[in-house]
Amino acid sequence: MILENRKALNILRDQKHKEMALRLGEDFDPKDGGRMHILVCGVAGCHSAGSMGIYENLQKKIEENGLQSEIKLISTGCMGLCAQGPLMVTYPDEIMYTHVEPKDVEEIWNSHVMGGQPVERLFAAESDGTKIAHALKDHSFYSKQMKIALKNCGLIDPMDIEEYIGVEGYQALALCLNDMDPEDVIDTMKDAVLRGRGGAGFPLGIKWESAAREMAPVKYICCNADEGDPGAFMDRSILEGDPHSILEAMAIAGYACGAKQGYIYVRAEYPVAVERLGIAIKQAHEYGLLGKNEATALMASIEGKRGEPRPKPPRSTEKGLFDCPTVLNNVETFANVPQIILKGTDWFKGIGTEKSNGTKVFALGGKIENTGLVEVPMGTTLRDVVFEIGGGVPGHLAFKAAQTGGPSGGCITAEHLDTPLDFDSLTKLGTMMGSGGLIVMAEDSCMVDIAKFFLDFTVDESCGKCPPCRIGTKRMLDITKKITEGKGNMDDLDELEDLAQMIKTGALCGLGQSAPNPVVSTLQYFKDEYIAHVRDKKCPAGVCVSMLKYIIMAETCRKCGICAKNCPVGAISGDKNTPYVIDQDKCIKCGVCMSKCPFKSILKNA
Amino acid sequence: MTCEKCQKEQAALQEIILKHKGTPGALIPILHEAQNLYGYLPAEVLHEISKGLEMPEAEVYGVATFYSQFSLQKKGKYRINVCLGTACYVKGAQDVLDKFKLRLMIDVGECTDDGLFSLEACRCIGACGLAPVVTVNGEVYGRMTVDKVDEILDKYEALAASEKEAEEA
């Protein structure tokens, strides 16, 4: 079906909107879209945890009972609270179920869908165990959030363009094409000061303006979906949960900058995102919303070369892909564009802080109760994100630090928990916003080990073109390895600092220049931990295995022999009459004995 | 070696090369499809691609070794991938990886002698909510522990044994 003009788009929108009204908290007539919509999260963690089985069982129930016109079943994108997945939500009553298993469908169907009595035991739980029926409104994970980029994720069917159209999808593009000149679009984006959400925070409007200014027959719009920060998955979630918002934004960018072709670069680790983008592109084309030649290549390192940086200038807005002017924005940045066009710059500027407008999506991970995806106004404090929304550190452990900005960033310690999360405050603390990975570390995390981990990543990812990055980061990794193995000395700490400075000033691209940050930041805030490793040959957190010792407590050992049976290297000896002991020379410090001991008689000695 | 299967693969490879030849940036889609065809990228295949695209073999090799997605090593029947993204690492992914190495007696990037398992470590598959995460042939195992490693390997070993039995019968 080709939508001939804006009127046709609006007719379809109004019709779909009526069908979706019960999901949007509006008055509805069951004749339009049925009496109940059941949404099952079909991606990421929930998918991995078996949400397909829930969907299939519900589908069977609906078919068996011939209720297709009354009850609509939808597989959605990410709903956010991944830690409690698989998730499902029913509308219009907005009941959220967590940890759902396929076998729970029977009870949900009988009690709730047919009987009107929600199943309390599956409600979302707060960290203190309280069950919350209307979690999307009332659970502390959701109540402080504000969604712009993730607005449609978990609410619409990402494989159905009509659902996107029903929630004002492609209206921003229509508005641009009909009522705005390309200059107006660029002025709007400049006025909104939408800063890039991929890491550097460069204003999107300025990028678009410089690309628009170039006189070139061919220009490109590129979307960076090569989410590289390990621990961040917001781009994946947007692509899987709301792919059309990206296509719409790229088309708007094309109009504003005078580009006719778009590319989306997706990581091979995200096959579902690739598949869904493919479907979305096909549908947008069928509905006449995208031209035939737009956005054709997926999953390719586009020019077919090794991905290596080159010196700037020229910037990519002058000479980018295939040497043509190119606009490159990341997924989350693009996802904001249609909303800004539709709701206006005053609305957008009213959210966030003075120099960081709008919201930011964070991927909460590590030692945190509510692992998942959250979107909050810029300037929300780290404390609110970790303790209110994230539910704090599990297992009564103390919060130690949060790492933002991934391998390019640094850590924020407990003393800075009240830092507002925005571009400039984070930079001031020696870390950065980055793409929004937020990894929480507790007292049992070793900061030297974390620094080593990030260096390992950088060494892997370094393209090898410039020596400061190729050799320098490798040297830094060697030194941190030495320290975690208990072979470091105090001079190593100075050398780390020297190397960091050299790499920062000498590397060719952002990856290299920012690679030393995790070391610099942990050295700044946790120098005592480095010193403990170097001078006392101790890992205070008990992580670095070379400095660990597993010891069987002779007094409490019940001589059951389970530890010896499970030891993979035969390092434990003893018998019914003599307490078991570990031969420290043979021990590989795997910790199996400690986890198997039924009497907790084995201790880890840092 | 001119077995029927080899000839078919050879023809399919030529078709892949011809399909993309001439379009800008053809190399990477070709490498992708060739890897899907063979399971990995053997040296002879890289040679064929370089001939087909009239491109120096060094350049083909350079691109193929640049991206972690491409493998020049043969993969096992069951491809184990341990996520070492930050969220997984903080939650003990290294212990899980070490356990796989210990039990399979192979290092990352290697394949067991019987061709059953190969072991890889990757950077974030975006399922941080389930950390630590392991995938076997794309199937995701979340909230991994060292103990679960044995369970998973036992399961696939049993699966392979029963398949072999069925094949022989």
Side-chain angles (χ1 to χ4, degrees), chain B residues 6 9 11-12 21 37 50-52 56 70 83 89 104 111 145 167:
Chain B
C6 307
E9 282 177 344
K21 193 175 175 175
L37 181 67
S50 105
K51 256 199 339 203
F70 300 124
C83 179
Y89 186 78
L104 295 172
C111 183
T145 59
E167 229 170 70

Side-chain angles (χ1 to χ4, degrees), chain A residues 552 557 559-575 578-582 592-594 596-598 602:
Chain A
I552 300 171
C557 174
K559 308 173 188 84
C560 65
I562 287 176
C563 54
K565 222 178 282 164
N566 280 288
C567 178
V569 292
I572 306 179
S573 56
D575 56 46
T578 33
Y580 282 76
V581 282
I582 301 172
V592 167
C593 53
M594 187 164 125
K596 296 284 180 189
C597 176
I602 301 181

Side-chain angles (χ1 to χ4, degrees), chain B:
Chain B
M1 262 219 310
T2 46
C3 64
E4 201 179 316
K5 188 171 167 247
C6 307
Q7 278 174 350
K8 258 192 200 157
E9 282 177 344
Q10 181 66 20
L13 178 64
Q14 292 308 330
E15 207 174 292
I16 290 169
I17 297 170
L18 278 180
K19 189 171 77 182
H20 293 283
K21 193 175 175 175
T23 55
L27 178 57
I28 290 179
I30 293 176
L31 290 174
H32 266 296
E33 289 177 36
Q35 179 159 294
N36 283 344
L37 181 67
Y38 289 92
Y40 69 115
L41 295 169
E44 310 84 71
V45 170
L46 295 182
H47 180 71
E48 286 297 317
I49 292 173
S50 105
K51 256 199 339 203
L53 288 180
E54 291 159 53
M55 181 188 270
E57 205 168 332
E59 200 174 319
V60 176
Y61 180 82
V63 171
T65 51
F66 185 83
Y67 295 97
S68 58
Q69 174 64 14
F70 300 124
S71 172
L72 274 57
Q73 307 305 318
K74 204 174 170 154
K75 298 277 179 80
K77 180 175 162 82
Y78 302 111
R79 297 184 309 279
I80 301 165
N81 213 332
V82 181
C83 179
L84 284 187
T86 321
C88 287
Y89 186 78
V90 171
K91 286 194 154 176
Q94 187 67 46
D95 295 341
V96 172
L97 178 64
D98 289 345
K99 173 72 189 190
F100 273 113
K101 286 190 199 168
L102 192 70
R103 160 103 183 236
L104 295 172
M105 304 288 278
I106 54 173
D107 209 340
V108 170
E110 293 178 350
C111 183
T112 53
D113 289 340
D114 57 7
L116 217 48
F117 296 103
S118 55
L119 186 59
E120 297 289 330
C122 71
R123 304 287 184 185
C124 200
I125 58 165
C128 313
L130 291 177
V133 177
V134 167
T135 66
V136 182
N137 287 1
E139 189 169 337
V140 179
Y141 296 87
R143 301 195 177 95
M144 280 295 296
T145 59
V146 169
D147 287 343
K148 275 197 192 165
V149 171
D150 283 322
E151 275 172 41
I152 288 175
L153 291 178
D154 291 347
K155 178 179 139 184
Y156 284 100
E157 273 171 3
L159 192 68
S162 68
E163 270 176 24
K164 202 171 167 197
E165 225 168 75
E167 229 170 70
E168 279 164 3

Side-chain angles (χ1 to χ4, degrees), chain A residues 264-486:
Chain A
I264 303 173
Y265 185 104
V266 190
R267 318 172 61 199
E269 284 86 349
Y270 293 175
V272 179
V274 174
E275 184 197 322
R276 293 198 168 177
L277 273 171
I279 294 169
I281 292 169
K282 190 161 161 270
Q283 287 179 345
H285 172 59
E286 282 167 5
Y287 281 69
L289 294 162
L290 283 187
K292 211 172 192 129
N293 287 319
E294 286 167 74
T296 45
L298 288 174
M299 243 188 84
S301 193
I302 305 166
E303 291 186 337
K305 298 182 189 153
R306 291 165 65 100
E308 290 179 349
R310 51 163 182 77
K312 287 177 198 171
R315 295 200 158 270
S316 56
T317 47
E318 297 158 36
K319 256 186 160 195
L321 186 60
F322 302 119
D323 280 339
C324 297
T326 302
V327 165
L328 177 65
N329 287 122
N330 113 306
V331 174
E332 188 190 336
T333 320
F334 271 131
N336 280 282
V337 169
Q339 299 296 312
I340 294 172
I341 299 280
L342 285 180
K343 294 189 179 160
T345 52
D346 287 339
W347 163 80
F348 189 71
K349 285 193 281 190
I351 304 162
T353 59
E354 201 191 331
K355 286 188 174 161
S356 304
N357 295 339
T359 56
K360 180 73 194 89
V361 181
F362 289 99
L364 301 185
K367 302 279 172 73
I368 189 161
E369 193 74 49
N370 300 328
T371 332
L373 212 55
V374 304
E375 183 171 359
V376 290
M378 294 269 190
T380 305
T381 64
L382 178 64
R383 186 185 300 281
D384 276 352
V385 171
V386 172
F387 290 95
E388 292 286 317
I389 296 172
V393 181
H396 304 289
L397 293 173
F399 170 90
K400 185 168 188 177
Q403 164 85 20
T404 65
S408 304
C411 53
I412 310 172
T413 58
E415 129 191 50
H416 294 115
L417 270 170
D418 291 308
T419 306
L421 295 170
D422 61 46
F423 288 105
D424 306 303
S425 309
L426 291 180
T427 311
K428 234 180 265 167
L429 281 182
T431 176
M432 64 186 285
M433 179 75 85
S435 59
L438 203 158
I439 308 290
V440 175
M441 278 158 300
E443 53 188 316
D444 61 347
S445 312
C446 168
M447 302 313 283
V448 187
D449 181 63
I450 292 294
K452 183 187 80 177
F453 166 78
F454 281 120
L455 281 171
D456 199 39
F457 174 87
T458 319
V459 168
D460 251 12
E461 295 295 319
S462 173
C463 75
K465 183 163 175 167
C466 73
C469 176
R470 183 182 68 237
I471 304 169
T473 57
K474 182 76 173 62
R475 276 297 295 141
M476 288 183 81
L477 175 63
D478 290 343
I479 295 174
T480 48
K481 261 192 189 151
K482 206 172 109 186
I483 295 174
T484 55
E485 282 163 7

Side-chain angles (χ1 to χ4, degrees), chain A residues 49-50 52-54 57 100-106:
Chain A
M52 249 344 265
I54 304 164
N57 285 0
V100 186
E101 290 179 46
K103 65 175 168 52
D104 295 325
V105 166
E106 188 72 31

Side-chain angles (χ1 to χ4, degrees), chain A residues 523-541:
Chain A
L523 262 175
Q524 180 184 350
Y525 295 113
F526 297 98
K527 192 150 194 177
D528 50 339
E529 231 173 280
Y530 278 86
I531 293 175
H533 282 75
V534 170
R535 201 180 51 202
D536 313 330
K537 309 293 173 210
K538 280 203 163 115
C539 172

